[in-house]
Amino acid sequence: MANPTILDTLIVQLATETTWGTPVGTQTVKLMDVLDCTFKPIAERKRLRGRRGTMAPAHTVARQRFGVEGTLKGYASYEDVLYLLEGMCGIATPSGVGPYTRNYAAPAASPVALSGGARARFYTLFYGESGDVRRITSAVLVKLVLEFNEGEEVKYEASFLGKSKDATGTLTALSDRAVNPIYGGDVALYIDAEGGTIGSTQISNLAYSAKLTLDAMRKARRHLGNYYPSRIAETPWDGELDLGFEYDTTIVQAYVADLLDTTKNFSKQVRLKATNGTNILQLDFAGTAEEPGEELGDDDGVGTYDINLKGLNNTTLGNWFKAQVVNGVATVA
């Protein structure tokens, strides 16, 4: 009798594709510190019921749509966050000679391309163990969530959709890589006015959580003559930033007053900057609160206040989301 599958022995390997829909056979990177990889194959079939003079529920089955969608979860690191941001925002050209600096931004005038040098990075994703490997062709990121909590490692959740899923392919002998996880203690928070300079006003010893959600609004499109997706459509992005504060009678009390003021909007520029030596993850978000949070929540007896900001284009920032990564990675494999 074969042994049952032990989840901790499974690994995720990626290969960057050149053409969406065309898988790559040899993986180039083993993702580090993956917590979970789940996927749902799409295989829609429908019974067709016609009048055949019988009481049977159906006589024919029609094949309709095929594809795959899934989710990757893990601990974010200064190195592997590149695979997430390049899958969302596009491939960046690094500057510097070590450390290397890469800049990213949400699309402005047009969708992120799926072809060309600066296109979104999409992957042939392999998941499994020797002798039992699942291959996802053309996994393209749809949504990315980065969650920051005090006293914890930063976690990510990346949702993807792909063209197809099969059991073709084998794992490649790839070594573990040294990566530097990002911790809540690495993170500095800055909040500035809508028309101010982002990164000017640090908010210290007040926020205990942050969650950034980016949604590229990518959808699989199917056409006559093909059961599988034949292209990806990308409509305007959306995003939000949740911030959790301890309530105080200066900064947060002023936020609450502004949120309840009928003469103004609560629009801010927020920077989350994680630093560990020469490694940096900097996330810039411009947004507005559409409604106030619950006043004086309870965290172990301490009053709290949560603010939810929805993405809003900011002329000073020149976008509503930008990111910068500084690390020792010369080339994203």
Side-chain angles (χ1 to χ4, degrees), residues 130-152:
S130 178
D132 184 19
V133 181
R134 296 140 186 87
R135 182 183 73 171
I136 309 299
T137 296
S138 298
V140 59
L141 296 193
V142 175
K143 181 183 289 188
L144 174 62
V145 179
L146 289 167
E147 193 161 357
F148 305 79
N149 290 292
E150 63 83 20
E152 296 183 8

Side-chain angles (χ1 to χ4, degrees), residues 10 69 105 107 120 124 134 142 146 164 169 177 181 209 212 260 292 295 324:
L10 306 183
E69 58 188 18
T124 304
R134 296 140 186 87
V142 175
L146 289 167
S164 61
R177 292 171 293 111
S209 68
L212 173 68
L260 299 178
E295 196 166 347
Q324 183 179 87

Side-chain angles (χ1 to χ4, degrees), residues 92-157:
T93 300
S95 61
V97 292
Y100 302 89
T101 299
R102 292 173 173 87
N103 295 308
Y104 303 94
S110 60
V112 179
L114 291 181
S115 61
R119 62 174 173 80
R121 192 180 290 272
F122 46 90
Y123 308 98
T124 304
L125 186 154
F126 297 80
Y127 179 52
E129 59 186 341
S130 178
D132 184 19
V133 181
R134 296 140 186 87
R135 182 183 73 171
I136 309 299
T137 296
S138 298
V140 59
L141 296 193
V142 175
K143 181 183 289 188
L144 174 62
V145 179
L146 289 167
E147 193 161 357
F148 305 79
N149 290 292
E150 63 83 20
E152 296 183 8
E153 304 83 1
V154 176
K155 299 182 182 70
Y156 71 85
E157 180 174 329

Side-chain angles (χ1 to χ4, degrees), residues 5-21:
T5 297
I6 306 302
L7 295 178
D8 282 352
T9 66
L10 306 183
I11 61 176
V12 175
Q13 295 183 342
L14 303 177
T16 298
E17 296 180 0
T18 301
T19 303
W20 193 87

Side-chain angles (χ1 to χ4, degrees), residues 55-73:
M55 298 296 288
H59 292 83
T60 306
V61 179
R63 298 182 301 278
Q64 295 181 310
R65 295 183 181 91
F66 291 78
V68 64
E69 58 188 18
T71 303
L72 272 173
K73 298 179 182 179

